[in-house]
Amino acid sequence: MAQNDLNSAVKLLGTWGSPFALRAQVALHLKSVEYEYKEEVLNSKSYLLLESNPIYKKVPVLIHGDVSICESLNIVQYIDESWPSDPSILPSHPSDRAFARFWAHFVDGKCFETINAVAGAKDNDVRMAMAGNLIECLMSLEEAFQKSSNGGYFFGGEKIGFLDIACGAIVGPLSVVEAFSGVKFLSEDTTPGMLQWAEKFRAHEAVKPYLPTVAEFLEFAKKKFSVQ
């Protein structure tokens, strides 16, 4: 596999509003990495995307010199290890790293599965049942947050880190399903820590330039799904 130095050109392939491309953008911002962003149109995938991710043919893809890195959590770890200057993104202790990776995969599996189930429900009864499952997922994340945040705003305490970036991928999709279902999935009653965390995450200087507003997400979703 080709090796690159820090001065090799960096490109990021993504799409507008992609919760997974957001992860890479936040990590690159935290590390102050200069890169070229290339917007993909997924119903007409570019040759560069097909060449750099021939297996899944999806964004995000980080291209660093001659190396292509696929899958958002892999990309975040690659960025952290390739540009080792502060701030570090992954926790330094092995047990903390294992904890962060476990919950990151929980987000990509269980949380997105239930968000998609709410969004794809065909009637209100099914939607409310799926909404209950999603609330349970978020309550599990609440427990993880309370365990790891040590009273801080983020999963790692006072600084944004790997698990924040992983969980940040659900912030936009949650705002859409909240609006369409009428259910408040993050609330003071069930997930007070996650509610405050989402506000702090949105406002963070490494996130704000890349995370669309709730209104922008809703307008995009209405056009995509032809919702009036």
Side-chain angles (χ1 to χ4, degrees):
M1 182 174 178
Q3 299 295 315
N4 296 302
D5 60 33
L6 297 186
N7 295 320
S8 298
V10 179
K11 296 178 182 178
L12 177 65
L13 311 186
T15 58
W16 185 92
S18 166
F20 303 107
L22 172 71
R23 290 172 171 171
Q25 290 171 305
V26 172
L28 289 165
H29 188 114
L30 286 171
K31 292 292 188 174
S32 301
V33 177
E34 293 187 6
Y35 66 98
E36 178 185 0
Y37 176 77
K38 298 185 74 67
E39 179 78 10
E40 286 287 330
V41 179
L42 293 186
N43 59 2
S44 179
K45 298 177 182 181
S46 72
Y47 174 79
L48 182 59
L49 175 59
L50 297 176
E51 179 185 48
S52 57
N53 190 0
I55 303 300
Y56 294 112
K57 303 177 179 64
K58 64 181 182 180
V59 297
V61 178
L62 184 78
I63 302 173
H64 183 202
D66 298 327
V67 175
S68 297
I69 310 298
C70 306
E71 300 298 309
S72 60
L73 295 177
N74 289 338
I75 291 171
V76 173
Q77 181 171 347
Y78 178 86
I79 291 167
D80 192 38
E81 294 175 350
S82 296
W83 288 272
S85 59
D86 287 337
S88 59
I89 295 175
L90 276 88
S92 58
H93 195 280
S95 65
D96 293 333
R97 281 180 174 241
F99 180 91
R101 287 194 180 102
F102 174 87
W103 286 104
H105 287 294
F106 176 82
V107 169
D108 279 5
K110 197 66 174 177
C111 291
F112 270 106
E113 177 184 312
T114 51
I115 287 172
N116 291 336
V118 174
K122 301 302 182 183
D123 61 65
N124 194 57
D125 289 342
V126 174
R127 184 176 298 108
M128 290 303 102
M130 295 301 101
N133 292 340
L134 179 51
I135 290 171
E136 288 182 6
C137 286
L138 296 171
M139 289 174 68
S140 295
L141 279 181
E142 174 75 14
E143 292 180 13
F145 177 82
Q146 296 296 345
K147 183 177 180 179
S148 65
S149 63
N150 296 314
Y153 292 126
F154 299 104
F155 279 90
E158 298 302 322
K159 295 181 179 179
I160 195 170
F162 181 78
L163 191 46
D164 300 289
I165 294 171
C167 290
I170 67 173
V171 170
L174 272 180
S175 67
V176 174
V177 293
E178 280 189 339
F180 289 162
S181 68
V183 177
K184 294 297 291 182
F185 292 105
L186 295 179
S187 71
E188 286 287 354
D189 292 334
T190 59
T191 54
M194 287 295 294
L195 177 64
Q196 185 180 54
W197 166 84
E199 294 173 354
K200 292 295 183 181
F201 182 81
R202 277 190 173 277
H204 194 281
E205 57 89 18
V207 176
K208 197 172 183 179
Y210 315 107
L211 181 63
T213 65
V214 174
E216 289 171 334
F217 266 125
L218 288 175
E219 186 62 28
F220 174 77
K222 287 176 181 178
K223 290 179 180 178
K224 182 176 180 179
F225 299 107
S226 299
V227 177
Q228 299 300 320

